[in-house]
Amino acid sequence: QVQLVESGGGLVQPGGSLRHTCAASGGGFRNYHAGWFRQAPGKEREFVAAISWSGDSADYADSVQGRFTISRDNAKNTVYLQMNALEPEDTAVYYCAVDRRSFYVVRDGSEYDYWGQGTQVTVSS
């Protein structure tokens, strides 16, 4: 069992930056791929970014490529999402998640086993 606790959301102006942190407890985190997803009001949950268990590979949605960076520190059982050049379209609840089973990082949220509680990001002037 892995518990995920997120922090770092908030209100930011367009063009600004935020960093999400997802702290894991319960063991095994360093062996699992991790990902970030988001859900805007009235929309389905969508993939944002994912990182392999080792941190050697990452994948990004086209909409955030070049603006967002996912990283992890397995010594601290933590995964991060650095968000730069934020746009109003990035407004959503952001969730971190852990995938125990996939061999490669995947974008399908149904493959992820554990989820954080979600944190709100609002990009507005």
Side-chain angles (χ1 to χ4, degrees):
Q1 190 82 9
V2 177
Q3 294 81 40
L4 303 173
V5 178
E6 303 163 19
S7 59
L11 173 64
V12 63
Q13 292 186 343
S17 298
L18 282 174
R19 188 174 84 154
H20 277 300
T21 298
C22 178
S25 61
F29 171 78
R30 62 191 64 193
N31 299 315
Y32 306 144
H33 306 321
W36 289 93
F37 294 78
R38 67 187 182 187
Q39 187 167 20
K43 295 186 177 181
E44 294 186 353
R45 182 181 64 196
E46 65 174 354
F47 169 79
V48 175
I51 189 167
S52 64
W53 67 270
S54 64
D56 288 345
S57 64
D59 185 29
Y60 296 91
D62 290 346
S63 59
V64 306
Q65 179 77 47
R67 300 189 297 122
F68 290 12
T69 302
I70 188 171
S71 61
R72 67 190 296 161
D73 185 340
N74 284 341
K76 296 181 179 179
N77 284 346
T78 302
V79 62
Y80 306 97
L81 183 68
Q82 177 67 43
M83 305 186 294
N84 298 329
L86 282 161
E87 304 167 353
E89 293 73 23
D90 296 315
T91 295
V93 177
Y94 284 72
Y95 300 88
C96 67
V98 165
D99 175 5
R100 298 181 301 166
R101 298 163 288 163
S102 300
F103 189 78
Y104 299 106
V105 294
V106 297
R107 298 187 174 194
D108 184 352
S110 67
E111 296 297 319
Y112 288 76
D113 306 284
Y114 301 108
W115 293 80
Q117 81 282 5
T119 54
Q120 177 70 46
V121 171
T122 301
V123 184
S124 175
S125 56

